[in-house]
Amino acid sequence: MKLKAQLLDESTIEKTIKRLSHEIIEKVDDLSNSVLIGIRRRGVPIAQELAKYIKEFSDISLPVGELDITLYRDDLTTLSDAAVINGSNIPFEIKNKNVILVDDVIFTGRTIRAAIDATFAQGRPSKIMLCVLIDRGHRELPIRGDFVGKNIPTSKNELIAVNILELDGRQSVEIWEK
């Protein structure tokens, strides 16, 4: 693969997450009855950053959970013979809560469909919303983000890589050509 460009740097990502935090505060009807659930892996640190800024801007602390969607994927058998299951960590009740699912990139929508199924396995929320850092298009399912950091149109032979400091040692969004 060949790096085409760095689209966002650390500073731009931070500004984008701050803006998403403000949008969540403004648009969610009952923020005090809401939770953030990050989709493993890169959705989790993004959800934690959102929670930090929401607390800073509104003085409301949102619980943050971690969702492993591995067993809910519709392509599990094509990925690997031995799936790696990290498990979900949702140490709070989601029944009748506003659940905000958080992920780094939305592409076909299949990951989000799996996340919705995994969320319902934890309980029945009153509402599910979606927050993504990057929307790259090419949806295969009728799913869209309620809160979108950046829309970055791509071709199918391109890949969006979100690098997170805690996982990758640097913070950036890059576009790569296959």
Side-chain angles (χ1 to χ4, degrees), residues 101-146:
L101 292 174
V102 180
D103 206 4
D104 58 344
V105 178
I106 184 169
F107 180 38
T108 63
R110 293 184 179 278
T111 295
I112 304 307
R113 189 225 28 100
I116 291 168
D117 289 347
T119 300
F120 275 105
Q122 300 283 327
R124 188 177 190 285
S126 63
K127 185 175 190 176
I128 297 178
M129 293 163 277
L130 175 62
C131 178
V132 294
L133 185 63
I134 305 295
D135 184 339
R136 63 169 287 191
H138 302 286
R139 217 69 81 240
E140 294 174 4
L141 299 171
I143 294 173
R144 63 165 180 76
D146 298 284

Side-chain angles (χ1 to χ4, degrees), residues 76-173:
L76 184 59
T77 56
T78 63
L79 292 177
S80 170
D81 290 335
V84 177
I85 299 169
N86 295 309
S88 295
N89 178 19
I90 303 175
F92 47 81
E93 182 69 41
I94 67 167
K95 183 179 178 185
N96 297 323
K97 298 279 188 189
N98 295 318
V99 170
I100 303 167
L101 292 174
V102 180
D103 206 4
D104 58 344
V105 178
I106 184 169
F107 180 38
T108 63
R110 293 184 179 278
T111 295
I112 304 307
R113 189 225 28 100
I116 291 168
D117 289 347
T119 300
F120 275 105
Q122 300 283 327
R124 188 177 190 285
S126 63
K127 185 175 190 176
I128 297 178
M129 293 163 277
L130 175 62
C131 178
V132 294
L133 185 63
I134 305 295
D135 184 339
R136 63 169 287 191
H138 302 286
R139 217 69 81 240
E140 294 174 4
L141 299 171
I143 294 173
R144 63 165 180 76
D146 298 284
F147 310 100
V148 177
K150 299 282 183 190
N151 287 293
I152 301 175
T154 62
S155 72
K156 288 198 175 186
N157 68 333
E158 293 173 323
L159 174 80
I160 296 288
V162 175
N163 299 297
I164 299 292
L165 193 60
E166 299 89 335
L167 301 173
D168 307 302
R170 61 194 171 103
Q171 197 120 321
S172 65
V173 175

